[in-house]
Amino acid sequence: MREALIVWGGWSGHEPEQCAAIIRTMLEEDGFKVYVENTTEAFADPSIRDLSLIVPIFTMSKIEKEELSNLTAAVEGGVGLAGYHGGMGDAFRDAVDYQFMVGGQWVAHPGNIIDYRVNITRPDDPVMAGIESFPYHSEQYYMHVDPSNEVLATTTFTGEHAAWIDGVTMPVVWKRKHGQGRVFYSSLGHVASEFAVPQMNTILRRGMNWAAR
């Protein structure tokens, strides 16, 4: 049986505990044995190197050096890493080794909660199968991203809330490798209620299963 670890915490505005419960149910339905922890100390446990998947839901906050080194070593060794929005893409802002592994870091969401469009760029990828481009109502993440990411979906900024980024196309969903580990990220999912959006839910669910070894 595949085993997954969800580690939640950090900024409460992203509803990490509620989202962790949703993701736990998703993974259990997909046949995973799921462990849930609410402290970054879980990343320091040597046994995480035997897992199939790690899902961080930990916006901002701090991670200790030994916790991060064990986490990155686990992924380099083949453990999958998957997550979404700020829980993975805006965690541990001062930890560049973490950002190197994730493949991106949040820097802005101009206009805060707005209407925008998610454009599917790889409809041939199994994660995106049957999903067409769709409207979305949430924070439109502006991120600093790794050019080696394999981008599956993007969004284009209008410039309405920051004129100088008018027309910028930004990755929304990507996958990548970090050592032997598969890494998956989606910037969708500001709060727990967004899991009710079928496209958001399906993309993340498939991405987690893809990342898991």
Side-chain angles (χ1 to χ4, degrees), residues 35-57:
Y35 307 94
V36 179
E37 300 288 348
N38 64 355
T39 169
T40 58
E41 292 175 3
F43 294 133
D45 188 336
S47 69
I48 68 171
R49 302 185 187 204
D50 299 323
L51 296 169
S52 296
L53 178 68
I54 297 171
V55 181
I57 311 175

Side-chain angles (χ1 to χ4, degrees), residues 5-31:
L5 170 66
I6 300 169
V7 183
W8 67 268
W11 185 58
S12 62
H14 279 159
E15 302 178 351
E17 185 174 11
Q18 298 95 312
C19 293
I22 293 169
I23 289 176
R24 178 177 192 159
T25 298
M26 292 166 65
L27 290 173
E28 287 178 341
E29 288 174 351
D30 290 344

Side-chain angles (χ1 to χ4, degrees), residues 41-81:
E41 292 175 3
F43 294 133
D45 188 336
S47 69
I48 68 171
R49 302 185 187 204
D50 299 323
L51 296 169
S52 296
L53 178 68
I54 297 171
V55 181
I57 311 175
F58 230 103
T59 304
M60 296 184 275
S61 301
K62 300 283 186 180
I63 187 169
E64 298 299 326
K65 185 176 181 179
E66 62 272 16
E67 296 167 354
L68 179 58
S69 62
N70 193 58
L71 173 60
T72 56
V75 176
E76 288 172 14
V79 180
L81 183 77

Side-chain angles (χ1 to χ4, degrees), residues 139-189:
E139 293 174 336
Q140 187 180 28
Y141 262 22
Y142 197 97
M143 306 187 74
H144 289 172
V145 295
D146 191 321
S148 72
N149 293 340
E150 184 178 347
V151 177
L152 306 183
T154 64
T155 188
T156 300
F157 286 81
T158 65
E160 178 182 355
H161 305 287
W164 56 93
I165 61 170
D166 185 19
V168 170
T169 297
M170 181 63 56
V172 171
V173 181
W174 67 73
K175 60 185 186 179
R176 59 184 283 111
K177 292 293 291 291
H178 188 75
Q180 297 301 309
R182 292 180 170 188
V183 177
F184 175 84
Y185 176 75
S186 167
S187 69
L188 308 176

Side-chain angles (χ1 to χ4, degrees), residues 58-153:
F58 230 103
T59 304
M60 296 184 275
S61 301
K62 300 283 186 180
I63 187 169
E64 298 299 326
K65 185 176 181 179
E66 62 272 16
E67 296 167 354
L68 179 58
S69 62
N70 193 58
L71 173 60
T72 56
V75 176
E76 288 172 14
V79 180
L81 183 77
Y84 67 98
H85 202 66
M88 178 161 153
D90 187 26
F92 320 129
R93 291 177 180 174
D94 60 348
V96 293
D97 287 347
Y98 175 81
Q99 295 159 17
F100 182 47
M101 175 175 62
V102 170
Q105 167 64 37
W106 170 87
V107 292
H109 42 66
N112 299 314
I113 303 294
I114 61 173
D115 292 308
Y116 63 97
R117 189 163 186 82
V118 177
N119 299 304
I120 307 302
T121 56
R122 286 288 308 278
D124 59 314
D125 190 277
V127 172
M128 294 301 185
I131 299 175
E132 298 181 349
S133 298
F134 57 96
Y136 204 70
H137 182 75
S138 185
E139 293 174 336
Q140 187 180 28
Y141 262 22
Y142 197 97
M143 306 187 74
H144 289 172
V145 295
D146 191 321
S148 72
N149 293 340
E150 184 178 347
V151 177
L152 306 183

